[in-house]
Amino acid sequence: MRTLSRYATLILATSVAACSQGDKREFLDPQLPKNPSILARVVVTPPAANLITEELAQFRAYGRSTAGDSIPVEVTWRASGGSINGDGYFVADDAGTYSVTAVVTARPEIADSVSVAVERRPKRLVAVLVDPAPVSITEGDTQEFTAVGYYDDGSVQSEKVDWSTTGGLIDTAGVYVADTPAGDYDIVARARRDQTIGLARIKVTRRETSTAFDISPSPVSLTPGQSVTFSGVITWDDGSQSSPAIAWTATGGSISSLGRYVAGSVAGNFRVIGKVVGGKRADTVQVTIQAPAIASVSVTPVAATLAPGGSVRFQASGLDVLGNVRSVSVNWSATGGTINSTGSYTAGSTAGTYRVIGQVPGGGPADTSVVTITGGAPSLVSVSLTPASASVPSGTTKQFAVSAQWSDGSTAVPPVTWSATGGTITSAGLYTAGASTGAFRVIAAHSSGKADTSAVTVTAPTTTAISVTPTSAIVNTGATQQFSASATLSNGLQSSAGVTWAATGGTISSTGLYTAGSTPGSYLVIGSQNGVADTVSVAVQSVATPTLAALTVSPKSTAVLASGTQQYAVTGTWSNGTTGTPPVTWSATGGTITSGGLFKAGTSNGTYRVIAKYTGGNQADTAAVTVSVPTLVSLSLSPASLSVPTGGTQQFSVSGSLSNGSSTTPSVSYSATGGTITAAGLYTAGSVAGTYRVVAKEVGGSLADTSTVTVTATAPTLTAVVVNPASASVTTGGTKQFSVSGTLSNGSTTTPAVTWSATGGTVTAAGLYTAGSTAGTFRVIAKVQGGTLADTATVTVAAAAAPTLVGIQMTPHTLSVPTGGSAQL
């Protein structure tokens, strides 16, 4: 359902059914006293209405007293469908029968309803467009046309029309036969609904016969990466020649839509084929791609250490004169062992240092690796990184891999550490090139010190595709059309910079602004970059200057709040059936309006006008705008009720309802019992449990709302636990008594129940710590039972000092022994 703000007040005598006072009986309760000030019932007028969709009507309500007098009454409006605001304005988007009800605000038991019948608004044909238009065909060919109707409700549908033409033949189904000499003709579609006319221009061209089609240059010999641009010429039966549109295909490389061929990296004989677009003729050119000469060879691994009888596989790669890495075949030779034609080397039985040589046949480049033959446990001989060099466009990735050779000939890959410059590399060897171009390195290193490096050249991203928009255009002679182009780069990004424009049948600026020439026809606009291009077609047509036939302002009616804004638009219908936005001069009552059609309402209620007048003629149109000042009708305090612990807080907020049904945040003053509340609505509960109130009252008015607050008493909770003392020193075997205290949420202290644990000794359930026999720094821990709070004390245990001899005592102190006798001391 659309909101009423989109519609203006529109109460038409033809749309609201008239109702006399006698059309509605008023039954007054005979039991009520005949008092002109006592409300007996409410009456809605008009008693019925017939509307069309999107038409706005206002209903009003008045009261009847027990004495039968009319008295003013405040009501709340409701509708079973559609939309109705606080002022009784009703509108519906969908057809149907609805009821509109007025309920007395102060006495909801008193109400009255009326019926509203809504019929769907008939749509009006605005224009007929013929497709395709314009079009060019050859003498004797056929072309099917269709007609589409555009309606004032924005819908588009196939239109039934009567066809005619100024040259050639066209049947009732819209099929045209070019049975006429070459020239320009009109296709006319006349709508059977209301005779609205749609036109299309058709160009009939002379039928010619081609005798030959040739592509040049031919033949072509290239090296990888080299390019050449092919073109084609068609010869006609009258001996003339022209350059037709050509569809290109190629093998062994790539070719653009403009015929630019780039040789691939594989040598051989390939073909470039050009086929005339829309014709049957084609031609083929042979392209020979020659392999570039090998400039250097690299043998890997560069060094290997083997036990007697061990083996290792050597490989060779080449770098051609263009700097490309290529696989090459080499002749292998070796000392200290044997090597076969595939590069597999087997160490002999004599320890020492030997050589393995790989050379391109015919005396070409060669490279040498060193082989050390030793005994004992296998050791890592070399780490090899592949590829040895790579060219990576900025922002793209390259996967590197590592291989290894051991002294016993095995090739298990050990763990390596990756590092890189000019970009980043993952632990799996995936390199991502950075934004800076240049020469960089990727390094794989083993903990034994063996490592290998690959050279990385980070290049600027290349253009892989061009996309020109729009893909086609129809332009009047001398008129302009803006084109834009987007380039897809090799790193997946899009760029609109650096596109070169070219065009036929007119001119085009460096920014893509095409200006049609004076000759109608079908032409091309081409956007290219770095040899990659896209081509779109432009149909240049010559048409008479249309005149403005009708002017329409939208929306036609709307409701705006005081000081609110509403954007208006204007649509013009031209004599050729097209629509557009003509230049107009805006004026308005009840507010102001800008030259762009933005209306700002004043501060006075009422129904006003917005007027658009065509600057190039006398056409004008008017829209109705209703300005209303909404008032605050109710307050709502949130939350409506809640429970808060003593000392707790709760944020309150208030919203208001305006007379137009919208909501607002009114200015209020807060008051509260059982606690305090700030001017921003933050309530803090006091220390006494109970049921209290929070009140929000309209500042400068009488509206208010109340929330119920239940303040509950809460038991304090344990917030912290502390072990005393925090640190202590004890000798081995010594003891130390520890205690624990806790802090509650209300600030008081307590002795919580804890579980003790310790390192470097033992601790009892009462906190008595006994040091062990090992000196050191240890911990005593107290953890609250059933909770997560805990604290730790530090215990330093020192070794006890060794005892020293401080005296000797002999027993007995005195004794008597006879001569020759003995005694034990």
Side-chain angles (χ1 to χ4, degrees), residues 658-759:
L658 298 175
S659 57
N660 62 356
S662 63
S663 59
T664 185
T665 302
S667 177
V668 298
S669 60
Y670 287 98
S671 60
T673 60
T676 60
I677 191 166
T678 67
L682 181 63
Y683 176 82
T684 302
S687 58
V688 180
T691 301
Y692 302 100
R693 295 187 308 161
V694 170
V695 181
K697 184 177 183 303
E698 176 190 8
V699 174
S702 60
L703 296 176
D705 195 17
T706 301
S707 293
T708 301
V709 179
T710 302
V711 178
T712 59
T714 57
T717 58
L718 187 66
T719 60
V721 63
V722 178
V723 174
N724 295 301
S727 61
S729 298
V730 185
T731 59
T732 53
T735 63
K736 180 64 178 181
Q737 180 65 51
F738 288 89
S739 64
V740 68
S741 64
T743 302
L744 298 176
S745 57
N746 61 3
S748 61
T749 60
T750 185
T751 302
V754 298
T755 300
W756 292 93
S757 60
T759 60

Side-chain angles (χ1 to χ4, degrees), residues 395-412:
T396 62
T397 59
K398 181 67 175 180
Q399 181 66 53
F400 287 86
V402 69
S403 60
Q405 291 293 331
W406 298 83
S407 58
D408 61 355
S410 60
T411 59

